[in-house]
Amino acid sequence: MDMLCHRNIDLEATELRLGLPGTSERPITTPRGNKRPLDDFMEGSSTEDGDHLECPSAAPPSKAQIVGWPPIRSYRKNSLQQKKLGNQAETTTRVYVKVSMDGAPYLRKMDLSIYKGYRQLLIALEDMFKFTIGEYSEREGYKGSEYAPTYEDKDGDWMLVGDVPWEMFACSCKRLRIMKGSEARGLTCCL
Amino acid sequence: MSEEDGDHHSSEATSTNSLSGSHPPDQVLETVLESVLQFLTCRRDRNAASLVCRSWHRAEAFTRSELFIGNCYSVSPARAFARFSKVRSIYIKGRPRFADFNLMPHNWGAHFRPWVSAMARAYPWLEKVYLKRISLTNDDLALLADSFHQFKELELVFCEGFGTRGLSKVAYNCRQLRVLDLSDTEVTDDNVDWISCFPEDETCLESLVFDCMENDINFDALERLVARSPLLKKLRLNRYASMRQLYQLLLRAPQLTHLGTGSFGLIENIQNLDDNQECNYYYSAFAACTSLVCLSGFKDVMPVYLPSIHPVCANLTSLNFSYTNINPQQFRSVIVHCHKLQTLWILDSVCDEGLQAASETCKDLRELRVFPVDADEDIEGPVSEVGLQAISEGCRKLQSILYFCQRMTNEAVIAMSRNCPDLLVFRLCIMGRRQPDSVTGKPMDEGFGAIVKNCQKLTRLAVSGLLTDKAFWYIGQYGKLVRTLSVAFAGDSDMGLRYVLEGCPRLQKLEIRDSPFGDAALHAGAHRYYNMRFLWMSSCRVSRQGCEEIARSMPRLVVELVRYDGEEGSFMEGDSNSFTVLYAYRSLEPPRNDAPESVTIL
């Protein structure tokens, strides 16, 4: 039964390496030979069942991601994933665009690069101009308010905010305009 | 665990506070006993008292107001509530801890429903519910909110299964609510504005924690809620809270003692000021919070804003930067002010250098947790034995440590065992599986051996790295107070597990994965399992037959075999003799009937 566990030590004894005879020191570099996951020959592994004395193949498998190791909860892992991407974004330049609102006396400027999605952008717009944007749906645009957020894209066309994926929008948006009243309704009617 | 006795009811009926001479002497004695036992709060003391004799058992049961259920399947609600009739607060723990790491199916069990239904009938005066690793639904929360008119405190840790609709019921119906704490708990977005459901007049709220929530909340409603909650001391915002929102809340609630800052980075420029001027606003807001002792959040931090917390650093006893990816310099600029710090959670992005800075300032540190930014094996990690050594030299009062790293040496671990003899919790996670001492190439046996030998108060231990049976021999030999032991990818043979099962008399929770322990070791520990809360073994060498034998010889032990493919996230098809997890626990009840398909109960 202990055959498998001692296998590593046996290999070590026959290993050729530079050093005085009789030294028992292992090589300093992390010995990959020890990292063979035992799942392969454990009873109840997902790939093999039954005979747990089956011998593993000679070459240890490369570092496959093991479930639940290291023991970090997925919530924490996911938060940090976002963070890593976020930090990369920090080195990109800010993207300021002019924002106009129908009826407002002056324009504002916003940095699009700090937002990670439409939701944050719309909340910021609502906050900046003190109004409410309606519910977005693909079919009807923004329902439920007299405002519609639009943007001028690289081709000079005025588009409704929210139709394309965020990254595509962030790259092609040159300026923003909050349309109001009949013009806004006109836009939604066309859709 | 003693059984109920029939006399229980008659004594209860005559137990009053009157000491008139017409009452027989033993009833007087029992009344006196009850009055005295009211003061006994520690549950272990109470358990001991209840074993003295029947009369003490009765009196203790009658006076226990805090009920702790360490494993929700070890006893049924009916049995527990029949014994303890005056409970005001209840703690229930469900899933085993390794289930957090994707090793068990999501529908494994630990449901709140049977408990809350029984509680609704048995304890209408219930005030506090604390649940850990329990599944609860919106209906369960609605039942809770409807049934307990004096309900005051709800704490959910590592729970899931409900959403904002359930929360809204609690907010609306529990008019005396003081504490609503959701930690590391999944809450689905039912599109309900639960913050607006709190009563319109002044609330009794002392603690509102929702930093784990992944949905946006109605900030205006929150601001109004904070404004009408004069007793609020703890507020932890989620990562959607922007700097400006935080600022506004701080102005409303400078009396806070515990603050979760939300994003600490999401910005809507206040009046188009530049970063430095904004910082001054935040700085003065923090400066007004003279009672602040615990700071957390920083979930999306803009490091340029960090200086604004400097005014509170000198008073901080607890700082949680574990979602905060900052470099050593940024960290140093904060930590250098935190002389009173006792609890510190950080990311390894602060490097050994940051740990050095902490060790120089935080002389009172009791608890340290260092989490990895990159939870991968095989990479150059930013923290190592150098950081551990520095901490051990600077923070002599350390009691609890959780340390993730890519490299470690026995020398540093031995140093910690000598410098920090008060350690109660030592959890070292060397992320490379079976990795030896990075300098000598030897196993990590001596390091962990020194920990159990020198830290004589140690109750919790998690081991990692390359470990032979020798390490387990040390644990069995010296770890006499160890209650919780976590093992992964370690050991050579059954002897390893045997040393632990035979040597550690206080062992309660044993969780092992991917280690070569088999049926012989499993059987060798049979004398222990009735005295343990649970045994977890996944991807080890135990066979179905071995488990069946144990289950047969120990009728009060529930032996569950789980077949679950964590990677696919699904129930494993195939040979019904194979399994991935053995989870065994003592229980007074017959095996549960709410187990999913992937679980077989022997």
Side-chain angles (χ1 to χ4, degrees), chain A residues 132-137 139-149 160 188:
Chain A
T132 16
I133 294 175
E135 282 268 311
Y136 172 78
S137 71
R139 264 191 72 232
E140 295 170 327
Y142 289 87
K143 257 188 70 177
S145 105
E146 48 175 345
Y147 297 99
L160 186 69
T188 58

Short mmCIF file of all heavy atoms in Angstrom, two decimals, chain A residues 132-137 139-149 160 188:
data_model
loop_
_atom_site.label_atom_id
_atom_site.label_comp_id
_atom_site.label_asym_id
_atom_site.label_seq_id
_atom_site.Cartn_x
_atom_site.Cartn_y
_atom_site.Cartn_z
N THR A 132 -33.67 61.80 -14.20
CA THR A 132 -33.68 60.34 -14.25
C THR A 132 -33.82 59.83 -15.67
O THR A 132 -34.65 60.30 -16.43
CB THR A 132 -34.87 59.75 -13.46
OG1 THR A 132 -35.81 60.77 -13.23
CG2 THR A 132 -34.43 59.12 -12.19
N ILE A 133 -32.98 58.86 -15.94
CA ILE A 133 -33.04 58.17 -17.22
C ILE A 133 -34.00 57.01 -17.06
O ILE A 133 -34.08 56.41 -16.01
CB ILE A 133 -31.64 57.64 -17.60
CG1 ILE A 133 -30.71 58.81 -17.84
CG2 ILE A 133 -31.70 56.76 -18.83
CD1 ILE A 133 -29.29 58.40 -18.10
N GLY A 134 -34.74 56.71 -18.11
CA GLY A 134 -35.70 55.62 -17.99
C GLY A 134 -35.04 54.25 -18.05
O GLY A 134 -33.83 54.10 -18.01
N GLU A 135 -35.90 53.24 -18.16
CA GLU A 135 -35.42 51.84 -18.24
C GLU A 135 -34.97 51.53 -19.66
O GLU A 135 -35.72 51.74 -20.60
CB GLU A 135 -36.60 50.91 -17.92
CG GLU A 135 -36.91 50.80 -16.46
CD GLU A 135 -36.15 49.64 -15.86
OE1 GLU A 135 -36.19 48.53 -16.46
OE2 GLU A 135 -35.49 49.83 -14.85
N TYR A 136 -33.79 50.97 -19.76
CA TYR A 136 -33.29 50.65 -21.09
C TYR A 136 -33.81 49.28 -21.54
O TYR A 136 -33.79 48.31 -20.78
CB TYR A 136 -31.76 50.65 -21.12
CG TYR A 136 -31.19 50.13 -22.42
CD1 TYR A 136 -31.16 50.94 -23.55
CD2 TYR A 136 -30.70 48.83 -22.54
CE1 TYR A 136 -30.66 50.48 -24.74
CE2 TYR A 136 -30.19 48.36 -23.73
CZ TYR A 136 -30.17 49.19 -24.83
OH TYR A 136 -29.67 48.73 -26.03
N SER A 137 -34.29 49.22 -22.79
CA SER A 137 -34.54 47.90 -23.36
C SER A 137 -34.13 47.95 -24.82
O SER A 137 -34.18 49.00 -25.45
CB SER A 137 -36.01 47.52 -23.24
OG SER A 137 -36.79 48.31 -24.13
N ARG A 139 -35.55 46.85 -27.39
CA ARG A 139 -36.66 47.13 -28.30
C ARG A 139 -37.04 48.59 -28.31
O ARG A 139 -37.25 49.18 -29.35
CB ARG A 139 -37.87 46.30 -27.88
CG ARG A 139 -38.01 45.00 -28.64
CD ARG A 139 -39.35 44.35 -28.40
NE ARG A 139 -40.43 45.07 -29.06
CZ ARG A 139 -41.53 45.47 -28.47
NH1 ARG A 139 -41.72 45.25 -27.20
NH2 ARG A 139 -42.48 46.11 -29.13
N GLU A 140 -37.16 49.17 -27.10
CA GLU A 140 -37.77 50.49 -27.04
C GLU A 140 -36.86 51.59 -26.56
O GLU A 140 -37.31 52.69 -26.30
CB GLU A 140 -39.00 50.42 -26.13
CG GLU A 140 -40.08 49.52 -26.70
CD GLU A 140 -41.18 49.28 -25.67
OE1 GLU A 140 -40.88 49.23 -24.47
OE2 GLU A 140 -42.35 49.16 -26.08
N GLY A 141 -35.57 51.32 -26.39
CA GLY A 141 -34.69 52.36 -25.88
C GLY A 141 -35.01 52.68 -24.43
O GLY A 141 -35.30 51.80 -23.63
N TYR A 142 -34.99 53.96 -24.08
CA TYR A 142 -35.17 54.36 -22.69
C TYR A 142 -36.61 54.75 -22.43
O TYR A 142 -37.08 55.81 -22.82
CB TYR A 142 -34.23 55.53 -22.36
CG TYR A 142 -32.80 55.08 -22.29
CD1 TYR A 142 -32.01 55.05 -23.44
CD2 TYR A 142 -32.24 54.63 -21.09
CE1 TYR A 142 -30.69 54.60 -23.37
CE2 TYR A 142 -30.95 54.19 -21.03
CZ TYR A 142 -30.18 54.16 -22.18
OH TYR A 142 -28.90 53.72 -22.12
N LYS A 143 -37.32 53.89 -21.76
CA LYS A 143 -38.73 54.16 -21.48
C LYS A 143 -38.89 54.75 -20.09
O LYS A 143 -38.16 54.40 -19.18
CB LYS A 143 -39.51 52.84 -21.52
CG LYS A 143 -40.32 52.64 -22.78
CD LYS A 143 -41.20 51.41 -22.65
CE LYS A 143 -42.32 51.65 -21.65
NZ LYS A 143 -43.20 50.48 -21.57
N GLY A 144 -39.88 55.57 -19.94
CA GLY A 144 -40.23 55.98 -18.58
C GLY A 144 -39.71 57.35 -18.20
O GLY A 144 -39.86 57.78 -17.07
N SER A 145 -39.04 58.05 -19.09
CA SER A 145 -38.65 59.42 -18.77
C SER A 145 -38.53 60.18 -20.08
O SER A 145 -38.52 59.58 -21.15
CB SER A 145 -37.34 59.43 -18.00
OG SER A 145 -36.28 59.83 -18.84
N GLU A 146 -38.44 61.51 -19.97
CA GLU A 146 -38.41 62.26 -21.22
C GLU A 146 -36.99 62.46 -21.73
O GLU A 146 -36.76 63.25 -22.64
CB GLU A 146 -39.11 63.59 -21.02
CG GLU A 146 -38.66 64.32 -19.77
CD GLU A 146 -39.28 65.70 -19.64
OE1 GLU A 146 -39.83 66.19 -20.65
OE2 GLU A 146 -39.20 66.28 -18.55
N TYR A 147 -36.03 61.79 -21.11
CA TYR A 147 -34.64 61.96 -21.51
C TYR A 147 -34.12 60.71 -22.19
O TYR A 147 -34.52 59.60 -21.87
CB TYR A 147 -33.77 62.25 -20.29
CG TYR A 147 -34.12 63.53 -19.60
CD1 TYR A 147 -34.92 63.53 -18.47
CD2 TYR A 147 -33.68 64.75 -20.10
CE1 TYR A 147 -35.26 64.71 -17.84
CE2 TYR A 147 -34.01 65.93 -19.47
CZ TYR A 147 -34.80 65.92 -18.34
OH TYR A 147 -35.13 67.06 -17.71
N ALA A 148 -33.20 60.92 -23.12
CA ALA A 148 -32.51 59.77 -23.72
C ALA A 148 -31.04 60.14 -23.87
O ALA A 148 -30.72 61.19 -24.45
CB ALA A 148 -33.11 59.45 -25.08
N PRO A 149 -30.14 59.30 -23.37
CA PRO A 149 -28.71 59.59 -23.52
C PRO A 149 -28.24 59.14 -24.91
O PRO A 149 -28.49 58.01 -25.32
CB PRO A 149 -28.07 58.73 -22.44
CG PRO A 149 -29.02 57.61 -22.23
CD PRO A 149 -30.39 58.06 -22.64
N LEU A 160 -27.86 55.89 -29.82
CA LEU A 160 -28.42 55.73 -28.49
C LEU A 160 -27.41 55.00 -27.60
O LEU A 160 -26.85 53.97 -28.01
CB LEU A 160 -29.73 54.94 -28.54
CG LEU A 160 -30.49 54.83 -27.20
CD1 LEU A 160 -31.03 56.19 -26.80
CD2 LEU A 160 -31.62 53.81 -27.32
N THR A 188 -36.75 57.33 -29.89
CA THR A 188 -37.19 56.00 -29.44
C THR A 188 -38.27 55.46 -30.37
O THR A 188 -38.37 54.26 -30.56
CB THR A 188 -37.75 56.04 -28.00
OG1 THR A 188 -38.84 56.96 -27.98
CG2 THR A 188 -36.69 56.48 -27.03
#
